[in-house]
Amino acid sequence: MFNNVEFAKNKAGKLKPQSQSSHQPFLITSLDIIDASPVGRLSVTCTTVSCYNSIAIESPEPELHLIEGSSLRLKYKLSTEERKLHFYKNNNYIAETKNITKEKSGVLNVLTIKSVTPEDKGLYYAAFFNLRSKVTKLTVQAMFTSDFDPIFCIEGDELQLKCSVYADNIGVKWLKNKTEIKENEHISIYWDGCNHLLTFKSAQMNDSGLYSIVAGSVQKQLSVTIQALFKQQLQSKTIMEGLGVIFECEIEKQYPVEWFKDERKVHDSSNITIDAPKERVYRLTILKTTLENKGKYEIKINNVTSGADLDVKEIPDAIKEMSEHDRIMFLKAAKNGTAVRYNIRIILVGKEGVGKTSLLRRLMSEEIEGVKSTDGINIEVKNCKIDLHTKEWIFTKGNKSPLREYPSDQYADCGFWDFAGQKEFYATHQTFLSRNAIYLLVVDVSEDFEMNTFENMIENQYDKNGEYIDFWLDNIHCYTVNNTDESMKSNLLNPPVIIIGTGMDKVEDTGKTKKSFEIYINKLLRQHPKRKHLRKLLFLSNTKPSEYKKEFQTLRNDIFERAKEIPKWGDNLPTRWICLEKEIDRLIDNKEFVISYDMAKGLASKCSFSLEEVNLELDSFLKYEHEIGNLIFFDDIKSYIILEPKWLVDVFKCFVAPFQFQSQFINMPEWSLLQSSGHLSKMLIKKLFTKVQVLNLTEKEALALEKRNEQKTRALQILKEKKAFALEERNEHKTLAMQILKEKKAFALKIMEKFDIIVKPITTANNEEYYMPCMMEATEFNQILETFNVRNNKCSRTSWFGLQFNFLPPAFFNHILVTFLKKYSLSTVREHTLAIYRGIGVFNLETSNCLKLVVCLSENSVAMQVWQFKKGDGICYHENRKYLTQIVGFLCQKYRINIPYQCFLKCPNGTHHDIAERIYLNDVSKTNENYCSEHANHTLDELRRFWFKVCIKNLRK
Ligand SMILES: Nc1nc2c(ncn2[C@@H]2O[C@H](COP(=O)(O)OP(=O)(O)OP(=O)(O)O)[C@@H](O)[C@H]2O)c(=O)[nH]1
């Protein structure tokens, strides 16, 4: 029995002896509670007690001091092998973990902690029931004496990772993603005694992550977060040349900055401002971009760079050549975005019946059965698309989607204009020719192509192929445009011309024909600059093509390649302008060939043209479209816009009728009056208009046209809703439609007037009478001399003064003559008939009618002379001479054609059209002693005194 043994209530609620009076181990197998008082003390009776007098525990040292990371082995020896010890730390049972193992081997009980940490410090012992070992006090020295709090750093700033170890002889390794970090130009590793430092000179975004710091066998982790410096990066921009652009970025914290363009530092200049930062927002502004501003822009802040590209789109050439106001309107529209679009205009020219229409059909993959030479003046327009990447040509056939639905940045718009070859049309062709086109000059090589040059143009003698080639190349050369880099390199001129020799099926020896045609073209063009337009000679047969029609595919490829040489290829336009172009295409698809300005305004609003300035922007748009040949618009006759040249051709062809088609006018006495006097009577105008289909609709057609054209739903709605008033409304509507037709007729006349096809000479009393000199029959010059009795002794003639052009397009003379008609009063013959003839006008220089100025067209020349029916000695007509040269200068500017000329004089009785005796004013070999070889009695001074006040020698200087 044991008395006075104290028990304490252990955690598990069991009673355990607290202290023992004897050191003998004992085992209580049953315990009877005898008396429960006093509180906290129990009187117990032990019924069975077993004692293990022989059991003892041998303990490790009472104190141990370890370094973090080293291992701890506590070895306890139990005097019996049969029993196993349990281990405790700070009175808590120690369970096994990866790091903690317990082993028993015979009497040996070992507790192992593989790698100790400071958390392992405490009091350790082993126990077997209430038998306990001695306590071992473990202390652990931490390897790292610093904390490892997460680090936040801004990109570009210096990033430092620090740690301290407990002793100065301990090495530290820095790792990221299990790879040891080594020193390099951006990273330095440093230690000073116990302190270690890893430094990144400029933190990068990819420096974020979890770092490991290893000392001995201890590894710590450190989280690093790099915050992007730029809250808002620079954005790449595309801008139209002339517009301003701002590069802007926002950063986390304010730093000094530097801007670069293509790696060169950018400084403030008159066109570039670099703003001081506002609320961490940095800005570089280019006030007005030019093509030189294209490039890569970068801002460097604290070693971090944000970059963006600036693409400056070139203003289309056509816009550059327009007024300042139009350029401003264009740029305003471009601010809302631009897009690129590719247009190709192909103009087929050549003599009638050479196969232009057939060739066009072949190019469009159509059959040519039933193609006949066109009756009179005509124009056929066809469109297709070309895939810019695959170069595939897409035509609308069957149910395919309309061409306008192909995206304009991936497909080129290809428009063909096929002119009928009748030469009378040449009076008006300038309206349709464009500087931005590819010309297919079609020649039937089976015909005789020997050349006579186009002598006596006025008398309609263009009969040889060569004359046509020469004529068209001269005309096209007038439209020479600025060249692209590409064409400049190859010393070529735009617009490009491809000569297509058709009719190869009709020749016997194709090789010989090709060869002689090539030799012929070479001879024809010699060194003339017009030859630089020529890109290729292609020979084919429209009627008997090769098996796979390869020649037409070759031509398609050539067209596509040539298109790229034209300056307007890939023009960037405001997106809303492209939208309006598509709206116009839609109208053309619906056969609307002419629309009112109001209707165009409606479409422009639909395409988001600026509301306040819709008229101004629309005008600029229309001028541009006119310039590139997409439509016909005149700033001074705005009421209508011609969307398809066919409409204008229809009008022109009823007035400017080729000779062989004039039989249709046989029943019109007014037509013969026109031919003899040039007078275009009101009755004739009315009759001619009846032949223009679009201006001569039935009431029903007019009504339908009106409904479509103007989209005036008002009338329609009323018709629908108020059937009772239907009749009345219809009548009203009909009147409106007729009114529109009347307006269109007036517009057509104005256009013809604008093109100098018809003119109101100032002579006519009420100034309402039109004349059309180009349709008059030719009159012999001698006959005119007779009519005015010029050979009479009372009349003296001045010398001729004239301009000799390299090439004078017939329409150009028309313009000159009409300009004279607007300034000078025409002489009259037999009081009523105006002295106007085909290519000739006789004007009164003063009210007494004693001085008459005659202006004549001859081959490539304009010449004038004054008939003096009074003593005109000493009068100098230098003002009239200047007027002629001024007109030519003005017309060249107006029609943007470049036709060089030289001035000449000729003796009074000489024939103005004969080149032989002309004395050219820039020919210094001629001296005053030169006599006219035709009459051998006038000196140069005698010839010039009529036209020049200053000495001719001075003039040459
Ligand atoms: N043998 C032959 N006949 C051709 C060739 N090309 C066209 N033709 C025929 O010549 C005639 C006139 O052809 P078009 O294509 O209308 O000629 P065009 O140049 O358009 O004529 P215009 O409209 O009057 O200017 C038609 O009967 C065609 O079949 C060709 O290469 N060989």
Side-chain angles (χ1 to χ4, degrees):
M1 286 297 279
F2 298 91
N3 295 323
N4 298 324
V5 175
E6 283 187 15
F7 290 87
K9 197 177 174 193
N10 76 359
K11 275 186 193 160
K14 286 183 180 170
L15 292 175
K16 285 175 93 184
Q18 200 171 27
S19 66
Q20 289 168 242
S21 54
S22 155
H23 291 295
Q24 295 298 317
F26 58 89
L27 182 68
I28 300 167
T29 50
S30 95
L31 195 64
D32 292 326
I33 299 167
I34 309 160
D35 181 7
S37 62
V39 177
R41 286 187 167 256
L42 290 173
S43 299
V44 295
T45 307
C46 291
T47 49
T48 321
V49 175
S50 308
C51 292
Y52 293 90
N53 293 327
S54 58
I55 296 180
I57 305 173
E58 196 182 306
S59 305
E61 307 91 280
E63 283 198 8
L64 277 173
H65 182 75
L66 295 179
I67 306 296
E68 184 182 5
S70 54
S71 67
L72 166 74
R73 273 176 83 78
L74 291 175
K75 293 180 185 164
Y76 298 89
K77 260 189 199 161
L78 199 58
S79 51
T80 171
E81 274 187 32
E82 288 163 21
R83 298 295 165 180
K84 184 179 166 190
L85 281 173
H86 296 289
F87 303 100
Y88 296 88
K89 178 190 163 197
N90 298 339
N91 289 330
N92 292 322
Y93 176 78
I94 299 173
E96 269 194 318
T97 64
K98 252 187 169 175
N99 197 29
I100 301 174
T101 53
K102 298 170 194 174
E103 296 159 73
K104 182 177 171 325
S105 168
V107 292
L108 199 63
N109 285 262
V110 184
L111 173 76
T112 307
I113 301 178
K114 262 196 254 165
S115 169
V116 291
T117 68
E119 283 78 53
D120 292 324
K121 70 183 176 196
L123 302 173
Y124 288 80
Y125 64 86
F128 168 66
F129 288 102
N130 60 343
L131 182 65
R132 283 172 43 161
S133 69
K134 284 184 191 152
V135 169
T136 299
K137 184 180 174 191
L138 174 68
T139 51
V140 178
Q141 169 61 55
M143 178 63 82
F144 291 97
T145 54
S146 56
D147 294 330
F148 293 94
D149 296 332
I151 295 178
F152 293 89
C153 170
I154 294 178
E155 182 186 15
D157 276 356
E158 189 180 74
L159 166 67
Q160 285 198 330
L161 277 59
K162 292 178 187 168
C163 74
S164 304
V165 286
Y166 75 97
D168 60 3
N169 60 347
I170 295 174
V172 164
K173 279 187 191 167
W174 303 88
L175 289 90
K176 190 175 178 212
N177 300 329
K178 297 186 181 158
T179 310
E180 187 178 347
I181 298 169
K182 302 276 185 205
E183 273 201 314
N184 61 32
E185 53 181 322
H186 302 295
I187 300 172
S188 64
I189 297 174
Y190 175 81
W191 72 94
D192 177 12
C194 303
N195 300 321
H196 293 255
L197 192 63
L198 172 73
T199 309
F200 294 80
K201 272 191 199 148
S202 164
Q204 306 296 306
M205 291 306 288
N206 59 5
D207 291 332
S208 283
L210 216 51
Y211 287 77
S212 302
I213 300 118
V214 180
S217 58
V218 180
Q219 179 165 326
K220 293 284 174 191
Q221 293 214 306
L222 175 61
S223 143
V224 174
T225 307
I226 310 295
Q227 200 169 357
L229 173 69
F230 288 94
K231 278 169 94 172
Q232 184 206 319
Q233 299 269 1
L234 293 188
Q235 305 286 318
S236 289
K237 312 243 164 164
T238 300
I239 191 92
M240 183 60 67
E241 166 188 20
L243 285 179
V245 71
I246 297 177
F247 281 111
E248 190 176 85
C249 65
E250 191 182 349
I251 60 166
E252 279 297 333
K253 171 171 140 181
Q254 204 157 309
Y255 296 94
V257 300
E258 285 179 310
W259 288 89
F260 294 86
K261 182 196 170 238
D262 297 329
E263 296 179 358
R264 296 179 68 161
K265 200 163 168 186
V266 180
H267 299 281
D268 263 318
S269 67
S270 56
N271 195 30
I272 296 183
T273 51
I274 297 173
D275 293 349
K278 268 189 215 136
E279 291 170 3
R280 298 178 196 166
V281 173
Y282 292 78
R283 238 180 234 129
L284 176 139
T285 310
I286 303 174
L287 302 174
K288 197 172 172 191
T289 51
T290 64
L291 295 182
E292 280 78 58
N293 293 123
K294 260 188 201 183
K296 187 172 178 66
Y297 286 77
E298 287 172 306
I299 183 168
K300 225 182 212 173
I301 306 177
N302 198 22
N303 296 323
V304 184
T305 305
S306 177
D309 291 318
L310 176 65
D311 190 8
V312 182
K313 299 287 181 198
E314 191 175 355
I315 296 183
D317 279 1
I319 297 284
K320 280 188 194 160
E321 286 164 15
M322 285 162 73
S323 70
E324 170 81 15
H325 164 81
D326 292 319
R327 283 201 300 276
I328 292 170
M329 291 318 298
F330 174 85
L331 288 175
K332 271 190 183 176
K335 272 188 187 161
N336 286 9
T338 60
V340 65
R341 66 120 176 68
Y342 302 87
N343 264 10
I344 311 174
R345 162 70 32 87
I346 298 116
I347 298 181
L348 288 99
V349 293
K351 194 178 156 187
E352 71 261 32
V354 289
K356 296 183 294 296
T357 309
S358 308
L359 176 69
L360 174 56
R361 301 264 173 103
R362 287 287 184 209
L363 283 171
M364 306 296 281
S365 279
E366 291 172 6
E367 288 308 319
I368 63 162
E369 272 77 53
V371 173
K372 283 196 291 215
S373 189
T374 324
D375 272 4
I377 298 165
N378 208 352
I379 187 167
E380 187 165 338
V381 178
K382 285 193 183 275
N383 296 294
C384 69
K385 289 264 181 186
I386 306 175
D387 187 319
L388 293 172
H389 301 289
T390 64
K391 299 181 186 171
E392 186 201 350
W393 287 43
I394 295 150
F395 315 101
T396 37
K397 274 188 204 147
N399 296 329
K400 278 192 190 162
S401 50
L403 289 173
R404 63 174 177 279
E405 285 174 17
Y406 289 84
S408 42
D409 57 342
Q410 291 163 36
Y411 294 87
D413 265 309
C414 194
F416 287 87
W417 287 12
D418 167 21
F419 285 91
Q422 275 76 21
K423 40 199 164 291
E424 282 76 6
F425 190 46
Y426 303 160
T428 55
H429 73 259
Q430 276 177 356
T431 325
F432 307 103
L433 298 191
S434 161
R435 297 182 303 154
N436 296 303
I438 297 169
Y439 288 84
L440 302 186
L441 174 47
V442 187
V443 185
D444 182 348
V445 285
S446 71
E447 279 184 22
D448 175 14
F449 41 76
E450 276 313 308
M451 184 185 164
N452 288 333
T453 70
F454 47 99
E455 270 167 36
N456 303 324
M457 261 182 319
I458 325 163
E459 271 75 40
N460 299 340
Q461 290 175 7
Y462 287 87
D463 285 319
K464 298 277 194 287
N465 259 334
E467 292 162 12
Y468 278 88
I469 297 169
D470 205 29
F471 171 81
W472 280 111
L473 282 177
D474 273 327
N475 263 285
I476 295 163
H477 185 55
C478 291
Y479 289 85
T480 299
V481 282
N482 297 342
N483 292 294
T484 55
D485 293 348
E486 200 59 27
S487 52
M488 284 294 272
K489 261 187 252 159
S490 44
N491 195 22
L492 296 171
L493 289 177
N494 278 323
V497 178
I498 300 174
I499 295 185
I500 320 285
T502 56
M504 285 303 276
D505 57 298
K506 292 187 271 182
V507 299
E508 273 173 24
D509 187 340
T510 54
K512 198 172 151 207
T513 305
K514 280 184 195 174
K515 185 105 204 120
S516 46
F517 188 73
E518 277 164 15
I519 292 170
Y520 165 70
I521 290 286
N522 228 344
K523 216 169 80 188
L524 176 74
L525 301 178
R526 280 181 233 107
Q527 297 306 313
H528 196 283
K530 65 190 169 199
R531 111 180 263 143
K532 292 184 183 175
H533 294 274
L534 208 58
R535 301 296 195 271
K536 192 169 183 175
L537 298 181
L538 197 71
F539 300 90
L540 47 84
S541 163
N542 287 315
T543 45
K544 291 190 183 134
S546 66
E547 195 181 350
Y548 298 106
K549 302 190 179 92
K550 263 197 349 244
E551 57 279 31
F552 298 101
Q553 187 52 42
T554 308
L555 182 54
R556 285 186 201 111
N557 293 345
D558 282 334
I559 289 172
F560 184 66
E561 291 309 315
R562 298 293 77 85
K564 293 182 196 165
E565 295 167 9
I566 297 175
K568 83 178 172 76
W569 178 254
D571 268 356
N572 278 278
L573 285 195
T575 21
R576 61 193 188 213
W577 285 27
I578 294 178
C579 168
L580 185 51
E581 279 186 343
K582 288 201 188 311
E583 286 298 325
I584 287 173
D585 285 349
R586 196 187 298 272
L587 289 177
I588 296 170
D589 283 355
N590 290 335
K591 307 260 177 292
E592 309 287 0
F593 295 153
V594 59
I595 59 166
S596 71
Y597 186 80
D598 282 344
M599 188 177 179
K601 236 163 84 176
L603 291 176
S605 309
K606 200 169 144 192
C607 295
S608 330
F609 273 49
S610 92
L611 273 180
E612 317 84 65
E613 297 180 308
V614 64
N615 284 25
L616 298 177
E617 190 179 335
L618 178 62
D619 286 1
S620 300
F621 166 84
L622 292 170
K623 276 189 245 168
Y624 167 77
E625 293 290 312
H626 173 89
E627 187 54 43
I628 63 164
N630 272 0
L631 46 75
I632 299 168
F633 168 74
F634 303 108
D635 207 12
D636 49 351
I637 324 172
K638 276 189 192 171
S639 48
Y640 286 90
I641 298 139
I642 302 162
L643 306 184
E644 273 289 285
K646 187 155 181 28
W647 188 89
L648 199 51
V649 167
D650 281 348
V651 174
F652 281 175
K653 77 176 176 191
C654 284
F655 285 76
V656 190
F659 181 74
Q660 63 267 48
F661 301 107
Q662 288 177 10
S663 57
Q664 57 179 316
F665 307 124
I666 199 99
N667 57 352
M668 294 184 197
E670 299 85 358
W671 184 259
S672 82
L673 179 71
L674 167 73
Q675 286 184 304
S676 59
S677 71
H679 184 224
L680 185 63
S681 68
K682 282 189 178 149
M683 180 51 75
L684 183 59
I685 292 174
K686 202 172 164 187
K687 285 185 179 176
L688 293 178
F689 270 138
T690 60
K691 301 196 175 295
V692 184
Q693 207 197 347
V694 283
L695 294 176
N696 188 34
L697 304 172
T698 62
E699 285 174 12
K700 198 172 146 220
E701 282 169 329
L703 200 60
L705 181 76
E706 160 62 8
K707 277 178 197 165
R708 278 208 318 270
N709 262 0
E710 301 297 325
Q711 294 172 346
K712 287 197 174 157
T713 47
R714 190 180 68 89
L716 273 175
Q717 259 169 359
I718 293 169
L719 277 177
K720 237 194 252 167
E721 291 165 15
K722 300 182 186 174
K723 289 208 168 151
F725 297 105
L727 194 62
E728 195 186 326
E729 290 296 334
R730 225 181 351 249
N731 279 342
E732 198 180 281
H733 198 196
K734 193 175 77 188
T735 324
L736 188 63
M738 296 321 273
Q739 176 62 28
I740 286 169
L741 279 184
K742 210 172 142 195
E743 274 174 32
K744 282 185 183 169
K745 285 178 186 172
F747 171 69
L749 283 177
K750 276 189 186 159
I751 294 224
M752 282 195 288
E753 203 179 341
K754 186 177 172 69
F755 283 104
D756 296 338
I757 295 166
I758 60 174
V759 57
K760 290 176 184 164
I762 54 159
T763 322
T764 48
N766 57 12
N767 202 20
E768 280 308 314
E769 300 283 308
Y770 279 114
Y771 275 72
M772 191 156 68
C774 64
M775 275 296 111
M776 291 180 73
E777 284 170 335
T779 308
E780 282 273 325
F781 187 67
N782 277 337
Q783 198 185 319
I784 299 170
L785 291 176
E786 288 296 314
T787 308
F788 281 91
N789 209 5
V790 175
R791 293 207 177 95
N792 181 314
N793 284 345
K794 285 181 188 150
C795 178
S796 67
R797 295 163 71 179
T798 66
S799 58
W800 286 97
F801 171 76
L803 309 179
Q804 184 176 311
F805 298 82
N806 289 1
F807 166 64
L808 178 64
F812 201 81
F813 176 73
N814 226 20
H815 294 309
I816 297 175
L817 187 61
V818 165
T819 316
F820 270 96
L821 282 167
K822 286 177 188 167
K823 180 170 165 83
Y824 294 100
S825 157
L826 272 173
S827 300
T828 47
V829 185
R830 288 178 292 279
E831 295 202 356
H832 295 299
T833 314
L834 295 182
I836 185 164
Y837 311 91
R838 188 171 177 126
I840 299 174
V842 184
F843 304 93
N844 291 328
L845 284 186
E846 39 136 70
T847 43
S848 68
N849 298 345
C850 291
L851 296 177
K852 296 191 189 298
L853 174 74
V854 59
V855 182
C856 306
L857 167 73
S858 64
E859 186 199 343
N860 284 343
S861 308
V862 182
M864 59 188 197
Q865 180 176 57
V866 179
W867 298 335
Q868 303 173 129
F869 292 94
K870 64 175 184 183
K871 265 201 155 204
D873 274 358
I875 304 181
C876 178
Y877 300 96
H878 68 113
E879 291 298 341
N880 307 82
R881 170 185 58 82
K882 275 196 222 156
Y883 183 63
L884 175 63
T885 48
Q886 272 165 8
I887 293 173
V888 171
F890 166 76
L891 291 172
C892 282
Q893 221 175 7
K894 183 173 169 189
Y895 294 101
R896 305 229 193 97
I897 57 174
N898 173 25
I899 45 171
Y901 62 83
Q902 43 183 332
C903 301
F904 68 84
L905 292 169
K906 184 146 190 180
C907 76
N909 296 321
T911 33
H912 66 273
H913 50 81
D914 187 356
I915 299 175
E917 292 308 319
R918 286 179 184 173
I919 299 172
Y920 298 101
L921 295 180
N922 56 355
D923 182 355
V924 283
S925 68
K926 299 277 182 206
T927 66
N928 198 29
E929 279 69 52
N930 273 100
Y931 281 81
C932 152
S933 57
E934 202 174 342
H935 305 99
N937 58 358
H938 332 274
T939 63
L940 177 59
D941 270 353
E942 278 169 351
L943 298 185
R944 69 156 175 86
R945 73 181 168 87
F946 295 107
W947 303 103
F948 295 95
K949 276 189 165 172
V950 289
C951 171
I952 203 101
K953 280 174 198 146
N954 294 340
L955 196 85
R956 281 180 196 135
K957 283 174 198 164

